[in-house]
Amino acid sequence: MVLQTIREYDFSGKRALVRVDFNVPLKDGKVTDDTRIRAALPTIKYILDAGGSVVVMSHFGRPKGKRNLEFSMAPISKKFAELLGRPVGLASDVIGDDVTKEVKNLKSGEVLLLENVRFYPGEEKNDPEFAKQLSLFGDVYVNDAFGTAHRAHASTAGVAQYLPSYAGFLIEKEVKFMAPLLENPDKPFVAIIGGSKVSSKIGVLESLVNTCDTIVIGGGMAYTFLAVQGHTIGKSLVEEEFKDTASSFLAKAKEKGVEVILPVDHLCGAAFKEDTPAIAVDSVEIPQDLIGMDIGPKTVKLVVAAVEGAKSVVWNGPMGVFEFDAFAEGTLTVAKALAACKGITVVGGGDSVAAINKFDLADKISHVSTGGGASLEFLEGKVLPGIKALEK
Ligand code: ADP
Ligand code: MG
């Protein structure tokens, strides 16, 4: 997958229409996590430094196709200006005559942030007419909204039909780290997949089994796999309707010679509660009245050993209920193993990234993806419409 990137365009005197993902958490009108805004700054600064002007667009929340100022970009524009270190104009709307004037007035080096693109139903419908109106605001289209790249919306995909289109640095980086995992990863390649459900991760398992040498299955989804192997899983999470899928996956992995690591011991709880004490179960078999809530120390050792020798590692999905302190150890130790690994390490998925941040290890990981759903779909081998539009 080769993308056309902003390095290949001369922005001098040009107006760039830049799609970013500023769908950040807000509390009492303040941005509580500015990671996504920071992630888009290199691209915007690059265009401004090259002598261009920038019209920025993003969605925020779910205004459902209506102008609802509860979802205005206003609080986000303040934080954006502060982080960019330059004034940012906030457009009066997304499209229309007023916005057209505001855009026309923009001079080289200036930035205008459009209102929430989801104020219009044409955005999520990928309406060609709406996309065309957006396209009139730029000489060139730049997409750096990796977190929304799995959606075929007007501002993420449709607009690329009307303008020369380039990937920003964030999308370039996401693809640079993730594409090789599906194509030709440095080996040995270890995939660590966890989280709550087989149903949401089976796609990524079935995709990565084609390129990886070892797959670790942890978290709540592991018990469905253990159950099909005939183990007792007590009251642990299980998806009965995915047992067949799980067993055919195990057969496929075996056929391909991919090693599968499943939990060999557990930390259990008597109830799914924050204050339930951890009970160590030093065997694969879980007693009838207990719930598996984290991988045990022997399993952790197996995972750490696999990661140690790996040249590439991808991790998606926590190993246990890490939100409860008594069941965070497995996830923490695996996160530390990735941080210590000398190979290429990639972490994707909302909760896994939250875990990495909670443990303050993000700067020791080669790449922490900014897109939960988008990174999952990417690793499933799906074509992301927002990225396809930028391919050479
Ligand atoms: P990600 O967002 O990284 O892709 P998921 O959303 O698939 O991860 O799963 C994260 C959730 O899985 C967490 O809320 C975590 O508590 C839950 N989880 C992990 N292990 C277990 C378990 N043993 N039982 C129930 N839930 C679990
Ligand atoms: Mg999640």
Side-chain angles (χ1 to χ4, degrees), residues 317-337:
M319 295 291 98
V321 188
F322 76 101
E323 299 93 332
F324 300 170
D325 287 344
F327 302 98
E329 190 65 23
T331 302
L332 172 64
T333 319
V334 169
K336 280 186 182 159

Side-chain angles (χ1 to χ4, degrees), residues 9-30:
Y9 187 82
D10 179 6
F11 288 93
S12 171
K14 302 287 188 195
R15 198 158 52 224
L17 177 64
V18 183
R19 176 53 154 108
V20 296
D21 187 345
F22 283 177
N23 186 29
V24 293
L26 272 194
K27 205 179 170 211
D28 304 325
K30 291 244 157 64

Side-chain angles (χ1 to χ4, degrees), residues 219-236:
M221 60 190 272
Y223 309 105
T224 302
F225 286 90
L226 292 177
V228 304
Q229 288 183 332
H231 298 294
T232 57
I233 57 162
K235 291 192 293 179
S236 308

